[in-house]
């Protein structure tokens, strides 16, 4: 009964929204152009406040990418993955090993990024294959254990053969380079100064656009609908002819590949990777972004990631001076504050808006049904 | 020195701590099917509170045993209160929400508690004051310290006490009935809210003692200690069959042994120089008694996770648990 009812209303919804969309398409197009212009101009506005803010924005975009990747696994397919940062780590280490003096390899980034994505994808399948039978909360713990194992290996694979350089990490990683265009140096065109971070920003924006398009296409595709079906009721999905094993594996693999790509870019932007960047807290941060924004809703996830990337930075720039002015010393470390914000975001979202700040319509309905 | 016996003694010590912490996970899971992620942090805060009290009293002339007991006496009610509040504030409002919601809340609470502890006690570990005369006894070529003996005996006593409580008292029957079926238990006059709150409080109280034991064994307490300890204890609970009280005890001890023996022998086992077929192409590295150790004892933490993953993949119901249905 329930399925029929929601099925009918969904169809009605879709019809209505299509009519609405046609009427609104003009305004929407204008809006999109405005957003695009704003995003293009953003780094120059930020650069006037300091290059640090461009860097912060770059890391925010990286986290948006990560959240979109995790959203495939958690939001679309409903598989709670607490070790997602491991794929980010895999991508970052693949880039670091293939483009640094550590092994003396200096491959160009457009070769390494796909390799990183492929290796991360493989890692996703390796993790996914044995865990597919597990229930939601067990899966969370196993993925958490997997993430920790990856980190422990990176920490210790410096002997007997020095693969990862252990806790010291790998530094002097090559920045991106396209022909003569170096992402590490500044270029001047007329009166505009394109600093390294600004170039990375545009590249990230391009990748982000591609990821959003892929996500949008995926969401409404056969695969995307299969994911949602599995999330809502796995047994029914199976009965409906969905190969749940392959489709779940695909979710892991796709999510992992996005993580791998983001990791490669992280390594290049940062110029340095060490296991410390890939602790469990990072996985939880990404999860908080997905959960706060609204699991399953691409725009919600993007907004959640942007919000949770910038709020801690704003706190850093406001709370720290405020404390020094009030108490003459630092009482609460901004890093601690940041983690408290993430923890609170998780708890409060679940308590008051379990479907997130910008919920996906279908998910919202499902979460409301769950309430007795 | 007999390495095997020594590792077994060490494994029994950490294993009995895991077992006591695992009881907290398993009781809560048994009653409301929630992985109380924040349990590890409760244990950590227990250790921190006790260490603070013990350090404060260390200068006084009280006998050491009284000081340690005072620390425990401070930690247990503090943790019980925290367990109670956790359930009341964070989990109870979500009791009828979809499964993932309370789990995500639990992760959030764990992060919050950990960083609150960081705010209160700082980044540096608290050291256990040198007040106990830690005597070492030799048995069969291995050594066992008085702290180890105390930990093992304390854990056994707590496990026995909990077993008596759960299997022999009226309230214990109520807990088991609730674990079996909340609705039917309610029809039989069991107040489910009280039972659920009680499992949190009991688990937290046991966890507080476990935290003190763990801290005194390693000599330090740190705001991050709850995470790994909690995860290992959870692995132990799963190994024994989550929801099953005897299983948590068995799983804890087994996991402690696996970890100790694994850490003790992994270096030797993965030393390629002792493998006949690898000897050829490693000739130079292995000459003059050289070693080519793939995985050393620094992989200690991997064993618990590997055990967890293997158990979940091959026997998700654990050693003593009954088959759990696979509903998500």
């Amino acid at each position: 009964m329930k399925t029929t009812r929601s099925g009918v209303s969904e169809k009605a919804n879709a019809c209505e929204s299509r009519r609405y969309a046609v009427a609104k398409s003009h305004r929407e197009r204008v809006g999109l152009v405005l957003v695009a212009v704003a995003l293009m101009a953003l780094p120059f506005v930020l650069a006037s406040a300091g290059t640090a803010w461009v860097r912060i924005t770059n890391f925010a975009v990286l986290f948006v990418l990560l959240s979109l990747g995790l959203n495939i696994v958690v939001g679309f397919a409903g598989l709670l993955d607490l070790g997602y940062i491991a794929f980010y780590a895999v991508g970052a280490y693949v880039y670091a090993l293939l483009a640094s003096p550590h092994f003396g390899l200096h491959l160009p980034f457009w070769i390494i990024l796909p390799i990183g994505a492929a290796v991360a994808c493989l890692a996703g399948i390796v993790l996914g294959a044995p865990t597919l039978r597990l229930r939601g909360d067990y899966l969370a713990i196993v993925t958490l254990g997997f993430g920790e194992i990856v980190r422990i290996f990176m920490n210790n694979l410096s002997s007997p053969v020095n693969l990862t350089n252990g806790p010291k990490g790998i530094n002097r990683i090559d920045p991106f380079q396209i022909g003569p265009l170096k992402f590490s140096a500044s270029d001047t065109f007329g009166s505009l100064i394109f600093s390294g971070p600004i170039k990375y920003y545009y590249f990230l924006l391009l990748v982000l656009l591609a990821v959003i398009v892929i996500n949008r296409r995926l969401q409404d595709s056969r695969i995307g609908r299969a994911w949602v079906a599995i999330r809502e009721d796995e047994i029914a999905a199976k009965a409906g002819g969905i190969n749940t094993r392959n489709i779940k594996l695909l979710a892991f693999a796709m999510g992992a590949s996005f993580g791998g790509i983001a990791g490669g870019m992280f390594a290049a932007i940062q110029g340095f990777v060490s296991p410390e960047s890939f602790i469990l807290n990072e996985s939880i941060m990404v999860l908080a972004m997905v959960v706060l924004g609204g699991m399953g809703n691409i725009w919600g996830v993007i907004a959640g990631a942007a919000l949770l990337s910038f709020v801690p930075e704003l706190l850093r720039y406001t709370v720290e001076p405020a404390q020094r002015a009030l108490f003459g010393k630092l009482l609460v470390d901004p890093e601690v504050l940041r983690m408290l914000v993430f923890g609170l975001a998780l708890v409060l979202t679940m308590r008051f808006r379990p479907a997130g700040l910008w919920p996906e319509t279908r998910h919202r309905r499902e979460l409301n049904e769950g309430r007795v | 020195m007999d390495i095997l016996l020594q590792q077994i003694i060490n494994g029994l010590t950490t294993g009995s701590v895991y077992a006591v912490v695992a009881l907290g996970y398993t009781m809560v899971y048994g009653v409301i099917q929630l992985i109380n992620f924040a349990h590890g942090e409760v244990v950590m805060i227990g250790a921190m509170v006790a260490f603070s009290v013990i350090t404060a009293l260390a200068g006084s002339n009280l006998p050491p045993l009284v000081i340690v007991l005072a620390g425990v006496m401070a930690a247990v009610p503090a943790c019980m209160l925290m367990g109670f509040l956790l359930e009341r504030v964070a989990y109870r409002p979500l009791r009828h929400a979809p499964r993932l919601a309370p789990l995500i809340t639990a992760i959030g609470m764990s992060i919050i508690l950990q960083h609150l502890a960081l705010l209160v006690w700082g980044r540096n570990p608290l050291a256990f004051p040198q007040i106990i005369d830690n005597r070492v006894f030799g048995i069969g070529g291995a050594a066992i310290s008085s702290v180890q003996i105390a930990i093992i005996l304390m854990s056994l006593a707590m496990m026995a006490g909990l077993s008596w409580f759960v299997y022999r008292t009226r309230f214990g029957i109520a807990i088991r009935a609730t674990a079996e079926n909340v609705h039917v238990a309610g029809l039989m006059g069991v107040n489910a809210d009280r039972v659920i709150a009680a499992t949190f409080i009991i688990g937290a109280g046991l966890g507080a003692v476990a935290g003190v034991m763990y801290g005194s064994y390693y000599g330090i307490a740190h705001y991050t200690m709850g995470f790994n300890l909690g995860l290992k204890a959870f692995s132990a609970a799963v190994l024994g069959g989550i929801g099953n009280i005897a299983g948590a005890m068995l799983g804890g001890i087994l996991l402690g042994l696996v970890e100790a023996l694994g850490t003790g022998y992994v270096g030797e086992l993965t030393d390629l120089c002792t493998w006949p077929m690898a000897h050829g192409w490693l000739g130079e590295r292995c000459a003059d008694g050289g070693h080519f150790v793939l995985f050393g004892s620094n992989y200690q933490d991997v064993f618990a996770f590997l055990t967890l993953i293997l158990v979940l993949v091959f026997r998700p119901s654990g050693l003593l648990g009954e088959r759990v249905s696979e509903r998500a």
Side-chain angles (χ1 to χ4, degrees):
Chain A
M1 274 305 277
K2 226 177 252 172
T3 29
T4 353
R5 199 183 53 206
S6 62
V8 167
S9 67
E10 219 156 79
K11 208 173 271 174
N13 266 350
C15 261
E16 200 175 288
S17 65
R18 205 168 297 148
R19 228 174 297 142
Y20 191 54
V22 171
K24 246 185 87 178
S25 74
H26 182 68
R27 251 196 300 163
E28 223 163 56
R29 218 167 286 163
V30 172
L32 266 180
V33 170
L34 284 179
V35 169
V37 169
L39 282 176
M40 294 298 279
L42 182 66
F44 294 103
V45 179
L46 287 173
S48 61
T51 319
W53 280 102
V54 184
R55 271 204 197 95
I56 290 169
T57 312
N58 283 349
F59 282 109
V61 179
L62 275 177
F63 271 109
V64 171
L65 286 173
L66 277 178
S67 307
L68 284 172
L70 183 63
N71 182 45
I72 294 180
V73 189
V74 178
F76 291 171
L79 306 162
L80 187 54
D81 184 348
L82 291 183
Y84 186 68
I85 212 71
F87 306 122
Y88 189 54
V90 166
Y93 266 88
V94 165
Y95 190 93
L97 294 177
L98 295 180
S100 76
H102 184 61
F103 286 146
L105 290 171
H106 297 281
L107 300 181
F109 77 89
W110 43 268
I111 294 183
I112 309 178
L113 284 187
I115 296 179
V119 176
C121 172
L122 204 69
I125 293 172
V126 167
L127 164 70
T131 54
L132 286 181
R133 292 187 310 144
L134 300 178
R135 313 189 318 177
D137 40 8
Y138 278 1
L139 180 76
I141 298 287
V142 170
T143 50
L144 193 159
F146 173 80
E148 282 298 291
I149 287 178
V150 168
R151 191 183 58 82
I152 293 172
F153 270 77
M154 281 167 179
N155 229 340
N156 291 310
L157 279 180
S158 47
S159 82
V161 181
N162 189 357
L163 278 180
T164 63
N165 211 21
K168 287 197 294 275
I170 298 171
N171 53 29
R172 286 190 292 147
I173 297 170
D174 300 347
F176 283 7
Q177 190 172 1
I178 308 172
L181 185 70
K182 277 197 180 123
F183 278 59
S184 52
S186 287
D187 288 298
T188 322
F189 295 104
S191 59
L192 287 180
I193 303 164
F194 283 83
S195 63
I198 292 184
K199 282 181 239 173
Y200 277 118
Y201 171 82
Y202 284 119
F203 185 81
L204 283 166
L205 218 53
L206 217 61
V207 176
L208 179 63
L209 189 69
V211 169
I212 291 175
V213 169
I214 294 173
N215 263 294
R216 292 280 297 180
R217 304 291 298 162
L218 266 177
Q219 192 172 23
D220 298 327
S221 72
R222 203 183 158 75
I223 297 169
R225 282 175 288 136
W227 281 332
V228 174
I230 289 176
R231 182 185 76 199
E232 316 246 307
D233 190 333
E234 189 169 342
I235 297 167
K238 210 173 207 166
I242 292 168
N243 184 337
T244 52
R245 189 197 60 199
N246 288 0
I247 292 289
K248 275 161 101 180
L249 265 187
L250 194 65
F252 267 114
M254 302 239 16
S257 326
F258 285 137
I261 293 175
M265 290 188 294
F266 166 74
I269 293 174
Q270 176 118 316
F272 165 73
V273 294
S274 78
E276 215 169 281
S277 304
F278 309 109
I279 53 176
L280 174 79
N281 280 354
E282 304 282 321
S283 282
I284 290 176
M285 272 161 59
V286 182
L287 179 71
M289 291 167 179
V290 174
V291 166
L292 178 73
M295 289 180 271
N297 179 13
I298 296 172
W299 305 116
V301 168
I302 293 174
L307 194 67
L308 282 185
S309 301
F310 281 112
V311 166
E313 296 300 333
L314 285 174
L315 287 179
R316 193 193 299 272
Y317 282 90
T318 52
V319 173
E320 200 180 327
Q323 284 184 53
R324 285 193 199 284
L326 280 176
F327 308 109
K329 60 177 179 176
L330 199 59
L331 286 179
V332 181
D333 185 2
E335 191 52 38
V336 180
L337 208 59
R338 177 190 168 91
M339 287 321 292
L340 285 174
V341 167
F342 283 107
L344 275 176
L346 284 173
V347 174
L348 295 180
T349 314
M350 281 300 120
R351 176 72 180 83
F352 296 108
R353 285 190 74 107
L357 292 182
W358 298 274
E360 186 207 9
T361 39
R362 194 161 10 192
H363 215 107
R364 181 170 46 197
R365 201 176 310 135
E366 174 201 346
L367 282 162
N368 286 337
E369 266 171 19
R371 298 192 165 272
V372 182
Chain B
M1 204 161 96
D2 190 344
I3 293 176
L4 179 67
L5 186 63
Q6 187 63 57
Q7 293 296 357
I8 289 178
I9 291 173
N10 296 346
L12 280 178
T13 314
T14 48
S16 45
V17 177
Y18 295 160
V20 175
V21 181
L23 285 171
Y25 281 104
T26 224
M27 280 172 46
V28 167
Y29 194 93
V31 176
I32 52 172
Q33 285 78 48
L34 162 74
I35 299 175
N36 179 13
F37 237 99
H39 187 53
E41 313 306 334
V42 173
V43 173
M44 173 270 294
I45 288 178
M48 296 302 240
V49 168
F51 271 45
S52 305
V53 172
I54 292 170
T55 312
L57 293 178
S60 66
N61 287 327
L62 294 167
L65 202 62
V66 174
I67 296 180
V68 174
L69 269 180
V72 174
M73 285 302 143
V76 170
C79 285
M80 283 181 157
L81 179 69
M82 208 157 52
F84 173 74
L85 288 178
L86 255 183
E87 196 271 332
R88 204 48 179 276
V89 176
Y91 302 139
R92 188 173 292 187
L94 295 175
R95 200 157 311 148
H96 300 292
R99 281 185 77 95
L100 285 190
L103 185 60
I104 291 171
T105 301
I107 296 165
M109 286 314 297
S110 161
I111 290 285
I112 292 174
L113 288 179
Q114 194 180 343
H115 287 85
L116 285 180
L118 171 56
L119 279 183
V120 175
W121 285 286
R123 242 169 237 288
N124 296 326
L126 302 182
F128 194 82
Q130 293 292 329
I131 50 168
I132 306 177
D133 178 24
N134 194 8
R135 250 181 281 168
V136 178
F137 307 96
I139 42 164
I144 183 166
S145 67
S146 44
V147 169
Q148 284 180 309
I149 296 175
I151 289 176
I152 295 174
L153 290 181
M154 264 305 270
S155 310
L156 287 178
M158 282 194 287
M159 289 189 248
L162 186 75
S163 301
W164 171 80
F165 178 72
V166 171
Y167 290 104
R168 290 281 179 274
T169 62
R170 243 181 113 71
F171 201 78
I173 296 174
I175 291 179
R176 283 183 293 142
T178 313
E180 208 149 289
N181 190 322
V182 185
H183 301 294
V184 178
L187 291 177
M188 301 298 133
V190 174
N191 184 343
D193 282 343
R194 271 183 61 195
V195 167
I196 293 169
T199 56
F200 272 90
I201 293 171
I202 296 168
L206 292 174
V209 183
V212 182
M213 296 195 299
Y214 195 73
S216 58
Y217 182 46
Y218 288 107
I220 56 166
H222 191 228
Y223 77 97
T224 55
M225 71 187 262
F227 169 66
N228 253 339
L229 178 58
L231 245 145
K232 286 176 183 172
F234 176 78
S235 309
V238 172
L239 175 61
I242 194 147
N244 184 316
I245 288 173
M249 302 176 188
L250 178 71
I253 306 265
L254 274 182
L255 190 76
L257 288 175
V258 165
E259 197 178 63
L261 293 175
T263 312
Y265 286 99
V266 67
E268 223 168 288
L269 289 176
T270 59
D271 184 356
L272 287 188
C273 291
T274 61
W275 295 18
M277 63 247 193
H279 219 280
W281 45 270
L282 283 173
E284 280 170 43
R285 292 282 301 256
C286 291
D288 307 325
H291 296 288
F292 195 84
V293 181
L294 284 185
F295 305 112
S297 54
N298 39 6
Y299 286 88
Q300 183 185 9
D301 290 340
V302 170
F303 293 103
F305 297 134
L306 271 185
T307 313
L308 174 70
I309 293 175
L310 291 178
V311 171
L312 283 181
V313 169
F314 291 108
R315 198 180 153 78
S317 51
L319 295 175
L320 299 184
E322 61 247 70
R323 185 114 191 98
V324 233
S325 71
E326 302 214 343
R327 76 196 148 90

